[in-house]
Amino acid sequence: MRPGTLIRIQAFKQLFQELNYRDRYVFDIGGFDGEVSKYLVDNGAKGATVIDINSVGLEMAKMKGLNILNASV
């Protein structure tokens, strides 16, 4: 896991606890390798799509079993 991703997950843990994402679908805009989406899916989200313009990161997200979309948002 990239250091920046780990920092983001730690920073957002409180927010994640307050959000009602369990049993819902997540769209991760700018999600690169899908680590944050994978965390959410592992903790109750129904599924996730990672949206990014970086094809290398998207391939890593795909290998984690996440849906991907190569797009600029």
Side-chain angles (χ1 to χ4, degrees):
M1 178 182 308
R2 297 181 313 160
T5 302
L6 181 60
I7 291 168
R8 276 197 320 278
I9 288 173
Q10 291 302 316
F12 286 121
K13 268 192 177 179
Q14 181 65 36
L15 176 64
F16 292 156
Q17 290 174 355
E18 295 173 13
L19 289 175
N20 185 16
Y21 65 87
R22 286 169 184 79
D23 296 322
R24 295 178 188 241
Y25 204 85
V26 176
F27 291 96
D28 187 357
I29 299 170
F32 185 64
D33 61 359
E35 278 295 327
V36 173
S37 290
K38 182 73 171 140
Y39 173 86
L40 294 173
V41 168
D42 288 347
N43 286 282
K46 189 178 266 188
T49 296
V50 178
I51 305 167
D52 206 296
I53 60 172
N54 187 303
S55 59
V56 173
L58 289 174
E59 282 303 312
M60 290 189 283
K62 187 176 182 179
M63 290 189 317
K64 292 177 177 104
L66 301 166
N67 297 313
I68 61 170
L69 177 61
N70 188 326
S72 176
V73 178

